């Protein structure tokens, strides 16, 4: 973040599950609150450098559940969270060998498309969208030259 800011970046974006390296446990790799471990670090950096930060995604606590939201936030240059999105379509698949991976056992789906107004333009978010998933619902709010984040 510091290097990008020193080079004039006005927006930084991270990948899906950006804070996970190894086991998905503990601060910066477990289920977090918002604000919490990851967002507080990013909020401080956004404010320090007067820039927007798109968090990529991380796992947000869902009260009363073992599942988490796969969540992205957009942070403004004052260090405030101005947009929060939860992945709409968990990735469930049965492989040709019959093995099954059900992300929906671990991730609770969100229920809304999020588009956030910024001084840079509108920023839309989507995580893990596949071609058959409906992410087009927000495109009416977006125009050429504006950003729409999709992580696959």
């Amino acid at each position: 973040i510091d290097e990008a800011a020193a080079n004039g970046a006005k927006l930084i974006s991270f990948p899906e599950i950006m804070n996970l390296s190894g086991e998905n446990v503990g601060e910066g790799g477990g289920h977090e609150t918002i604000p919490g471990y990851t967002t507080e670090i990013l909020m401080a950096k956004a404010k320090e450098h007067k820039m927007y930060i798109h968090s990529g995604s991380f796992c947000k606590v869902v009260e009363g559940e073992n599942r988490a939201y796969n969540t992205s936030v957009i942070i403004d240059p004052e260090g405030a969270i101005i947009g929060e999105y939860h992945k709409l379509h968990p990735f469930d698949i049965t492989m040709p060998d019959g093995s099954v991976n059900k992300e929906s056992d671990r991730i609770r789906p969100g229920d809304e498309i999020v588009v956030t107004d910024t001084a840079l333009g509108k920023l839309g978010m989507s995580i893990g969208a596949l071609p058959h998933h409906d992410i087009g619902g927000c495109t009416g709010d977006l125009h050429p030259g504006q950003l729409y984040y999709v992580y696959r």
Side-chain angles (χ1 to χ4, degrees), residues 18 26 89 103:
M18 58 79 76
H89 302 286
E103 186 180 37

Side-chain angles (χ1 to χ4, degrees), residues 28-98:
H31 298 175
E32 303 182 31
T33 59
I34 296 177
Y37 182 80
T38 298
T39 52
E40 287 177 3
I41 292 168
L42 297 177
M43 291 163 69
K45 285 295 182 180
K47 187 173 183 176
E48 174 186 347
H49 295 296
K50 303 289 186 233
M51 64 174 23
Y52 288 92
I53 295 180
H54 172 259
S55 69
S57 76
F58 54 92
C59 290
K60 177 186 174 187
V61 168
V62 177
E63 293 298 323
E65 281 199 43
N66 289 331
R67 295 186 300 171
Y69 284 122
N70 187 346
T71 302
S72 287
V73 299
I74 295 177
I75 302 165
D76 73 12
E78 286 76 47
I81 294 172
I82 59 170
E84 180 176 329
Y85 168 81
H86 303 139
K87 183 176 184 174
L88 296 176
H89 302 286
F91 186 70
D92 293 347
I93 187 169
T94 301
M95 301 297 288
D97 68 1

Side-chain angles (χ1 to χ4, degrees), residues 76-126:
D76 73 12
E78 286 76 47
I81 294 172
I82 59 170
E84 180 176 329
Y85 168 81
H86 303 139
K87 183 176 184 174
L88 296 176
H89 302 286
F91 186 70
D92 293 347
I93 187 169
T94 301
M95 301 297 288
D97 68 1
S99 61
V100 175
N101 179 358
K102 290 189 69 178
E103 186 180 37
S104 61
D105 287 344
R106 301 177 307 281
I107 299 298
R108 178 178 176 173
D111 60 6
E112 68 178 318
I113 293 170
V114 176
V115 177
T116 303
D117 288 315
T118 74
L120 302 175
K122 293 178 186 277
L123 302 178
M125 296 179 276
S126 181

Side-chain angles (χ1 to χ4, degrees), residues 1 6 12-13 19 24 27 29-30 39 53 64 68 76 80 83 96 108 110 116 139-140 144 151:
I1 294 173
I12 294 177
S13 184
N19 62 349
N24 189 17
E27 289 187 331
T39 52
I53 295 180
D76 73 12
R108 178 178 176 173
T116 303
T139 56
Y151 291 99

